[in-house]
Amino acid sequence: MQVIRTAIPEVLVIEPKVFGDDRGFFYESFNERAFAGATGLHLHFVQDNHSRSAKNVLRGLHYQIHQPQGKLVRVTAGEIYDVAVDIRRSSPTFGKCAAVVLSAQNHRMCWVPAGFAHGFLVTSDYAEVQYKATDYYAPEHERCIAWNDSDLAIAWPLKGDPVLSPKDRAGLPLKGAEVFP
């Protein structure tokens, strides 16, 4: 696998080695030993999540203020614009974003560490997103930052208005959000 550092060094793009021929393709979507060797990260994943969303659905920017989750995100159908926002106040990249296009075609994955808000926009007709998490979902600790916060200035590749959940419509600007020290 190849590891590509983004503008925020802790957010990683993972490109697995894909073996393909006229029958299709094969790749290891996760191998703990290979992942640790390539990234230096020794992680313990406790939960796998899978979502399917229609075009222009925007999910995020989500995080858990307690029981923070690191996420290894991949797309198994369609394409998304995936975004990680550093919300660690003591970080030199606080309030900065890293974005990557993930698709079933490019097989890329994105490592979003704990201490980051995460969101994505579906840019294809639909997308199936799967991710591994390093801690359990805890709805009482879940928070949401506004996807359109002008201070973040995320360049979402939107065509029209996004489709948002009530939770995502109620996201707070980063300035008013509970963040990590």
Side-chain angles (χ1 to χ4, degrees), residues 6 66 73 87 101 111 160 166:
T6 66
H66 300 289
V73 183
I87 57 170
V101 172
W111 166 244

Side-chain angles (χ1 to χ4, degrees), residues 32-102:
E32 184 177 25
R33 185 174 37 230
F35 186 85
T39 65
L41 300 170
H42 299 273
L43 303 171
H44 177 69
F45 293 107
V46 299
Q47 186 174 319
D48 280 358
N49 299 315
H50 185 153
S51 71
R52 180 181 169 106
S53 304
K55 185 176 186 95
N56 267 3
V57 166
L58 196 152
R59 296 182 184 263
L61 300 157
H62 302 154
Y63 63 102
Q64 291 182 178
I65 196 66
H66 300 289
Q67 291 178 238
Q69 296 175 307
K71 299 173 182 176
L72 183 59
V73 183
R74 69 187 180 114
V75 173
T76 54
E79 180 182 276
I80 66 170
Y81 185 75
D82 200 51
V83 176
V85 179
D86 189 347
I87 57 170
R88 303 167 299 165
R89 192 167 299 286
S90 60
S91 170
T93 56
F94 175 74
K96 303 290 185 213
C97 305
V100 62
V101 172
L102 303 178

Side-chain angles (χ1 to χ4, degrees), residues 13-14 23 27 30-32 38 44 53 63 69 77 89 99 104 109 115 119 124 135 139 145 157 162 165 181:
V13 176
I14 312 295
R23 299 169 299 155
Y27 71 95
F30 183 74
N31 176 307
E32 184 177 25
H44 177 69
S53 304
Y63 63 102
Q69 296 175 307
R89 192 167 299 286
M109 292 174 268
S124 54
D135 209 336
I145 293 172
S165 71

